[in-house]
Amino acid sequence: MSIPPDTLELIYDAALNPALWQGVVQDIAEKTGGDQGALILQNQITGHGDAILANVDPSAIEGYFGHFATRNPMQRHNLKYIETDRTHAISVMTDLDILERRELLRTEYYNDFMCRYGMHTTLMLGLAFDGMDGTSIAITRPASREDFGESEMQLARELQRHLVRALKIGQELNTAQLVGGALA
């Protein structure tokens, strides 16, 4: 599966203009057949962070970072790999790659957070780690839809390297602007 040119253009435009990241998340959600999406920056220990949302109720942010981030079984999965194998933590996977559905369905995270916001299955694209801060994109579907399949996973894998590169470009430009401003 090839990446649509409009998606690539949007990703690299977001590297230059951070205000466009919401459009990137929206586009990726649509292209992978998701209903909702979020670009998440989160400390993997404390669960604190921030997110750029696409089709997600904004009230989800407070509940997620205020309580549910540390109860998210997918986030706890990342903790196992951050210090030993970051390449595994920066991968493309679904909730089913991490735990069986019946285990997820028994969690507080699923019942009190995911269900509340119409989420049933998640496609995750790991993008970066800086210390204990992780950046990722999460795309979700409701229970009325089937799980993410191989074609969506393949597109996400192809998009991932471009997303990683665009984030790095954006960070380097931001640093250059800060240094340039300080020198002026």
Side-chain angles (χ1 to χ4, degrees), residues 6-15 21 24 28 159 162-163 166:
D6 63 317
T7 298
L8 281 178
E9 184 175 340
L10 186 58
I11 289 170
Y12 287 106
D13 285 349
W21 278 107
V24 170
I28 292 170
L159 287 167
H162 295 285
L163 292 161

Side-chain angles (χ1 to χ4, degrees), residues 15-162:
L16 304 174
N17 181 356
L20 298 177
W21 278 107
Q22 183 178 27
V24 170
V25 175
Q26 177 71 42
D27 186 66
I28 292 170
E30 290 171 7
K31 298 277 184 355
T32 59
D35 287 7
Q36 303 177 66
L39 173 62
I40 302 165
L41 173 62
Q42 176 181 325
N43 181 285
Q44 300 298 301
I45 300 294
T46 67
H48 296 135
D50 204 356
I52 297 171
L53 306 176
N55 296 333
V56 178
D57 182 335
S59 69
I61 289 281
E62 186 177 323
Y64 182 78
F65 291 118
H67 180 76
F68 289 105
T70 57
R71 288 157 178 79
N72 178 346
M74 282 75 80
Q75 181 267 348
R76 287 196 310 259
H77 172 266
N78 281 342
L79 286 174
K80 291 191 285 188
Y81 295 101
I82 290 172
E83 295 193 16
T84 59
D85 181 11
R86 285 184 181 237
T87 57
H88 184 80
I90 302 176
S91 61
V92 173
M93 64 184 82
T94 69
D95 53 292
L96 293 174
D97 293 321
I98 297 170
L99 72 165
E100 293 181 26
R101 179 62 42 80
R102 68 174 194 252
E103 290 178 52
L104 177 63
L105 296 178
R106 288 194 306 253
T107 66
E108 174 190 7
Y109 179 75
Y110 180 84
N111 288 290
D112 295 346
F113 180 77
M114 290 181 71
C115 287
R116 178 178 181 187
Y117 295 103
M119 303 170 187
H120 179 70
T121 187
T122 307
L123 170 64
M124 295 155 286
L125 294 81
L127 303 178
F129 273 99
D130 180 15
M132 292 311 244
D133 294 330
T135 304
S136 62
I137 291 179
I139 307 296
T140 64
R141 286 182 176 168
S144 62
R145 306 259 323 273
E146 62 186 40
D147 292 331
F148 290 96
E150 186 51 40
S151 63
E152 294 96 356
M153 294 284 293
Q154 182 58 38
L155 177 58
R157 285 185 204 102
E158 291 175 20
L159 287 167
Q160 183 188 36
R161 68 184 174 96
H162 295 285

